[in-house]
Amino acid sequence: MRIESLEPHQVFVFGSNASGQHGAGAARTAHERFGAVWGEGHGLHGQSYAIDTMSGLTVIAHEVTTFLAFAAEHPELELLVTEIGCGIAGYSPEQIAPLFRDAPENVVLPARFLAVLERS
């Protein structure tokens, strides 16, 4: 599902690089449409939330843990997660989806992540 617009309570969650160079894919969409800030590769900016997916699985796991804590602290937000790490970063849903196993209810995962979590 391609996200083209957001309601005021929704946040577009995308994979970034540590330096916040949002030049392609979901990162570009976040920058052009949802308030992602060039040069900021982590956290909430506008209606977007950047997760560094280009610095290895250990970093992704840490970033997702930080994101899930943020989500738990902000139940008023609906956080729409894209297939982070599964594009330019080169990971599979089988590698990334388990990181979201304990996501709060306000985190909306992509279908391929949900399928992996249902199988395991």
Side-chain angles (χ1 to χ4, degrees):
M1 171 180 75
R2 186 173 183 91
I3 299 168
E4 300 287 336
S5 63
L6 296 172
E7 297 296 323
H9 68 285
Q10 293 177 318
V11 175
F12 183 83
V13 181
F14 68 100
S16 182
N17 53 55
S19 60
Q21 305 301 305
H22 308 308
R28 184 176 185 159
T29 300
H31 182 253
E32 290 177 349
R33 294 179 181 228
F34 304 128
V37 175
W38 197 268
E40 296 289 340
H42 313 273
L44 182 69
H45 302 281
Q47 280 186 273
S48 67
Y49 190 104
I51 294 177
D52 178 6
T53 57
M54 299 298 287
S55 299
L57 277 173
T58 302
V59 171
I60 296 171
H62 175 74
E63 294 260 319
V64 169
T65 298
T66 301
F67 164 72
L68 294 178
F70 171 85
E73 292 169 3
H74 296 279
E76 74 282 5
L77 297 176
E78 183 179 29
L79 300 142
L80 309 175
V81 179
T82 63
E83 287 191 2
I84 68 157
C86 298
I88 296 168
Y91 297 103
S92 68
E94 289 75 18
Q95 291 172 293
I96 302 297
L99 302 174
F100 290 92
R101 183 171 315 287
D102 297 320
E105 290 183 17
N106 60 331
V107 174
V108 179
L109 297 175
R112 294 198 314 160
F113 285 16
L114 290 172
V116 168
L117 293 174
E118 289 172 3
R119 289 195 305 261
S120 58

